[in-house]
């Protein structure tokens, strides 16, 4: 199976959101921070009879909700900047991936290089609503947009067959 991967801005944006929010779950810290600060604020509000408690509660609530808002605004601004830096409008050929059921290798090539990875060394594969994300290492992935695959089920079957249940995740 040979797949010429033409990435678009939306493919890359969806991958970044998947990787940061779903896979790495980097939203947890700001949410936990907001929860702790909000609970502390409500405890302060409940103690309104104590001098300064309402003011403290207001500050805690403002900081507790403000910091995560700033975090997510910066995250999406950074995401937009990263997508623009990739120069994917219009979509362009980024790499070509070749693999088959009979081969123990994945071959990936672009204009300047060609590399081979053994299936046994592949970290994980994710089947999402718009793409298959093939992580060669924990931090390096190749995107296979479903719109480019002639038969995405055949491609996933090969990947599943090579990696097995432990290293494949399919969104249902």
């Amino acid at each position: 199976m040979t797949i010429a991967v033409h990435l678009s801005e939306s493919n890359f944006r969806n991958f970044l959101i998947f990787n940061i929010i779903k896979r790495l779950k980097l939203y947890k810290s700001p949410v936990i921070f907001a929860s702790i600060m909000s609970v502390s604020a409500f405890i302060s509000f409940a103690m309104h009879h104590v001098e300064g408690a309402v003011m403290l509660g207001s500050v805690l609530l403002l900081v507790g909700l403000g910091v995560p808002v700033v975090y997510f605004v910066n995250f999406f601004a950074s995401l937009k900047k990263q997508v623009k830096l990739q120069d994917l409008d219009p979509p362009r050929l980024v790499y070509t991936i070749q693999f088959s059921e009979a081969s123990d290798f994945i071959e990936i090539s672009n204009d300047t290089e060609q590399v081979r990875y053994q299936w046994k060394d592949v970290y994980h594969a994710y089947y999402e609503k718009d793409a298959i994300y093939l992580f060669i290492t924990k931090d390096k992935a190749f995107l296979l947009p479903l719109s480019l695959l002639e038969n995405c089920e055949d491609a996933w079957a090969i990947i599943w067959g090579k990696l097995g249940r432990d290293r494949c995740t399919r969104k249902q």
Side-chain angles (χ1 to χ4, degrees):
M1 180 173 290
T2 300
I3 306 156
V5 178
H6 290 79
L7 284 184
S8 67
E9 286 186 349
S10 66
N11 295 135
F12 190 64
R13 182 182 310 103
N14 290 344
F15 168 72
L16 290 175
I17 291 171
F18 163 80
N19 192 44
I20 292 176
I21 302 293
K22 286 185 173 180
R23 189 176 84 86
L24 299 175
K25 297 181 183 352
L26 294 181
Y27 66 89
K28 285 184 175 182
S29 293
V31 170
I32 291 170
F33 177 80
S35 300
I36 291 169
M37 296 295 275
S38 296
V39 168
S40 299
F42 290 122
I43 290 170
S44 292
F45 290 143
M47 298 175 59
H48 60 86
H49 59 281
V50 176
E51 186 178 335
V54 173
M55 178 64 139
L56 176 61
S58 299
V59 170
L60 289 171
L61 191 60
L62 181 66
V63 171
L65 297 178
V67 169
V69 166
V70 169
Y71 173 86
F72 284 111
V73 166
N74 283 334
F75 166 73
F76 285 107
S78 171
L79 179 79
K80 187 175 182 178
K81 186 177 179 180
Q82 287 180 43
V83 169
K84 286 292 179 199
L85 286 174
Q86 295 300 314
D87 191 28
L88 297 173
D89 187 25
R92 65 180 171 84
L93 177 64
V94 180
Y95 46 79
T96 302
I97 296 180
Q98 293 180 323
F99 59 87
S100 70
E101 220 169 315
S103 176
D104 290 334
F105 295 95
I106 305 167
E107 296 182 19
I108 302 167
S109 59
N110 62 21
D111 293 339
T112 58
E113 64 182 337
Q114 182 170 352
V115 293
R116 292 175 70 172
Y117 297 100
Q118 290 188 351
W119 281 106
K120 68 181 179 104
D121 296 331
V122 173
Y123 179 73
H124 204 95
Y126 298 87
Y127 189 114
E128 288 291 309
K129 66 179 172 85
D130 64 339
I132 295 173
Y133 304 130
L134 193 58
F135 279 81
I136 301 301
T137 66
K138 190 171 98 172
D139 299 319
K140 183 176 184 174
F142 291 98
L143 288 64
L144 302 172
L146 298 182
S147 60
L148 300 177
L149 300 174
E150 288 179 25
N151 189 331
C152 49
E153 293 301 324
D154 286 349
W156 183 248
I158 293 171
I159 293 168
W160 177 271
K162 295 293 185 178
L163 300 181
R165 170 188 278 183
D166 295 340
R167 294 187 294 153
C168 288
T169 303
R170 183 169 184 164
K171 180 182 177 189
Q172 296 300 326

